[in-house]
Amino acid sequence: MKLSNTDALNALKAQSRVLLENRRVSNPVTTKEAQGLPRNVLICGGPGCHSSGGPKIAEQLEEELNRRGLSEQVKVFRPGCFGFCEQGPMIEIHPDNTTYCEVSVEDVPTIVEEHFIQGNRVERLLFKDPNTQKRFASDLPFYEGQVRIALRNVGYLAPENILEYIAADGYQALAQILALDPASVIDVIKKSGLRGRGGGGFSTGLKWELTRKSEAKQRYIVCNADEGDPGAFMDRSILEGDPHSVLEGMLIAGSAIGASYGFIYVRAEYPAAIRRLQVAIVQAREHGLLGKDILGSDFCFDIELKYGAGAFVCGEETALIHSIEGARGEPSVKPPFPAQKGLWGKPTCVNNVETLANIPPIILKGADWFAGIGTEKSKGTKVFALAGKVRNVGLVEVPMGTTLRQIIFNMGGGIKNHKLFKAAQTGGPSGGCIPTQYLDTPIEYESLTAIGSMMGSGGLIILDENDCMVNIAKFFLEFSVDESCGRCTACRVGTKRLHEILTKITEGNGTLDDIDKLETLGEIIKDTSLCGLGQSAPNPILSTLKYFRAEYLAHVVDKTCPAGVCKSLLKYQITDKCQGCTLCAKHCPANCISGTAKKRHVIDQERCLKCGACMEQCRVAGAIIHH
Amino acid sequence: MCDHASSNDPYPGLDEYIDNLAYKKENLIGILHYAQELFGYLPDKLQWHIAQKLDIPSAKVYGVVSFYSFFTMKPRGKHVINVCMGTACFVRGAEKLQAELEKQLGIKTGQTTSDNLFSLDSLRCIGACGLAPVMMIDGKVYGRLHEPEEIRQILAEYRSEPKLATIGL
Ligand SMILES: Cc1cc2nc3c(=O)[nH]c(=O)nc-3n(C[C@H](O)[C@H](O)[C@H](O)COP(=O)(O)O)c2cc1C
Ligand code: SF4
Ligand code: SF4
Ligand code: SF4
Ligand code: FES
């Protein structure tokens, strides 16, 4: 099955086209017209849908189709994440282009009977816009304004079948660049304006050029699949949904920089991604797309998987390199940069998963096409994992320059439970919080940094009025304390101090002096830490102090938590709605509720542990309040 | 992540795995992953064995084991419960879920129940943020966990039928 040259690849592509014929067709037919036609059912295989019953639904559907004699006509596939996690489990039916949301196993017989046998859409499973009550069978508002480049195949192709990838122009970009001079490939990437999607935003073409220019017999390309931002899953979706695009990106990078070997450093916490990559690598080898003399050229390249072991700092490129070498993942001083001296002392180019997934389309469609998307300095698109208090949690890919407001209120559908938007957190533990007044900021590397946050790798957490910003800052600091490798005193001890001060404030023991300390210490840590972890760890504090200072002051001066989160600052009180049922008093672990039956009870504030047990027990609305 | 033959004494399996590696010292982390899967945890004796086998100081092995949070030097319960402490879960009540589990199991995060049935741990984002707050038991994901009763029922399932760990994803 080895493809000996480009013609063989093209022949296989022509032969494999049929696999995708009945999927996302350009001119969909009606459900009635689709009867008797070959059908493809796609069941979202993203982590959210998978956990909420996707595999069971697939199994039941195949069984039911078989029972009704439809298994030849209707084929079931499990591609990667559709992105719209909130409405999962989701399924798509083609060629009549129907999307069903929140499907359960119980719905399967109805879908088979109504949709496939009667030829009618099941109205109640169609997406319903919560504002207009309008139902959508396709072109859901969630996808409006999205442009899928890195995610082009995710949720579309069956990830364990290389033939589907080949049918969808897979490895065509590789075939093209093998006929080109490496310098001109680097030129295309430079001209496209692609910048690293791992957070740093360094020009990818320039990084390739620097690595190529370092004199050496061996060079390496490393794919950073460590995805450390807690609360983000963009890279995971690409690895699971379209592993071949990452391999192809690495092959192109390898050829351009003159590397014959590549490593993918993937988190051990992503077993499904690991499995998909293993399958993809085996298939690519079988087809001669990895190995010696690829597609008849003299280019030899192979890829090995390396597993992370749960250390956030290993996402930093020098730490990652040490980890691949089998050592503790501690960062080292730059320069020398990996492009000069990296893995085993050899020039090494480290690229993020999403960066690499962008490479094949750029080669196929050209630098101008890519550079035509986005803003002046930030080209192309960015994938965000939208989560938190937003109505539509999911994965979105938007052109650079899209505003936060568009993402949160159009695609995201606004804030859950009719609460008020408070802030958007980007960049994870290295980033910051963006308040309401900056909702119209276009998303770009520079603009986000200018308002005290950062692009980061794509985590986008939405906070509402019930989130306490001091507590959020404390959450991220706790993360940084846990993950500091301990090499630099400023980072090791400093983050701990910051966390202690935040704890003190949330417990109601903070002083104005503490707020000053947070600022001065934060700046010192930023200036004196060796790697990005320490340099950015104070950001969550500094940005919340900048935009939500009043909230810090409320904790420190008024000893209240305006969002009602910090337990020690809460005050439980029994109102005159109390009916004297005595339930609360029976459950109070501190025995601090007094009162006689049928009379209003009272809480002794001095002894109250603020455990909330009373409020949980009380059956009378409004009888116990906390503020 | 890796296949291994089942037998009572896992040492020969581990040795064979190491012997078949082209590069050994460079693969220390991979070897430790394999060993943890075989043995369930990485006790001192096992670390010493690996150090001997690779001809490196056992302090180096210990240094690596202690650096990475994925590796554990303590034996774990039959079922490992991981509460997601990723940002999305945090803002949707992960702390409450963790406290409820600690209460129902009578242990703190990082500990194992005295009957060795459950270990309680935390991890960061498993990509099911839409279902936040979530927990994972032996790789199976449970989401939208707000009700103590629901959690009680899930635990009861594992208590009543000691089935084998299912790989969820
Ligand atoms: C503490 C820390 C953690 C990081 N984690 C990641 C990560 O999980 N994934 C990633 O791609 N880059 C991460 N980076 C950025 C990498 O160091 C590096 O810049 C990136 O992988 C380069 O690829 P790119 O140019 O394609 O973005 C991290 C950096 C720091 C300082
Ligand atoms: S800044 Fe922190 S994480 Fe980075 S090298 Fe220093 S101690 Fe380690
Ligand atoms: S919060 Fe807890 S300690 Fe305080 S009154 Fe209620 S039950 Fe008692
Ligand atoms: S449980 Fe509620 S109604 Fe009953 S005594 Fe307590 S506060 Fe009053
Ligand atoms: S933060 Fe918990 S699953 Fe993503």
Side-chain angles (χ1 to χ4, degrees), chain A residues 572 588-590 592-593 603 608-614:
Chain A
Y572 285 85
C588 173
C592 68
I593 305 180
I603 296 174
C608 172
L609 303 170
K610 323 205 184 214
C611 70
C614 50

Side-chain angles (χ1 to χ4, degrees), chain B residues 84-134:
Chain B
C84 176
M85 281 288 162
T87 320
C89 287
F90 178 78
V91 302
R92 284 208 193 168
E95 280 183 309
K96 258 200 156 139
L97 169 61
Q98 189 179 46
E100 185 58 35
L101 280 163
E102 290 185 346
K103 192 167 124 195
Q104 291 191 18
L105 295 168
I107 51 172
K108 291 269 164 230
T109 300
Q111 296 179 335
T112 299
T113 53
S114 53
D115 59 0
N116 278 325
L117 195 57
F118 296 108
S119 289
L120 184 59
D121 252 311
S122 66
L123 46 65
R124 315 261 184 191
C125 194
I126 52 173
C129 311
L131 307 175
V134 306

